[in-house]
Amino acid sequence: MIVYDRLWETLKKKNISQYKLIKNYNISTGQLDRLRKNGNVSTYTLNQLCEILNCKLEDIAEYKK
């Protein structure tokens, strides 16, 4: 299972709020909801988040058995 707990930590470190993701970077509330619930998220969205946060995929997602 892929979990996005690291995303929230990275957002906090980079001082970027969910509101800012929505308003400034056009990340949809639906995508954020899926991320919060560790649901299915497209690689496009993950790529966008990595670009916005200037980070690697492992900084926002983690595979757990």
Side-chain angles (χ1 to χ4, degrees):
M1 177 174 162
I2 297 175
V3 296
Y4 301 101
D5 298 336
R6 292 181 179 181
L7 170 62
W8 315 115
E9 295 167 14
T10 302
L11 283 170
K12 195 176 214 180
K13 286 179 190 172
K14 303 273 184 170
N15 201 28
I16 296 178
S17 67
Q18 291 182 50
Y19 179 81
K20 191 171 185 178
L21 286 177
I22 295 164
K23 293 299 178 189
N24 295 2
Y25 299 104
N26 299 315
I27 301 294
S28 74
T29 56
Q31 288 287 23
L32 287 175
D33 189 51
R34 284 191 282 283
L35 288 161
R36 273 191 294 278
K37 295 177 179 175
N38 296 316
N40 293 329
V41 180
S42 71
T43 53
Y44 176 80
T45 298
L46 295 174
N47 186 61
Q48 279 186 303
L49 290 169
C50 286
E51 286 182 19
I52 292 165
L53 298 170
N54 190 30
C55 67
K56 297 179 182 177
L57 184 58
E58 55 266 25
D59 294 327
I60 61 174
E62 177 184 14
Y63 176 75
K64 290 188 176 180
K65 290 184 181 184

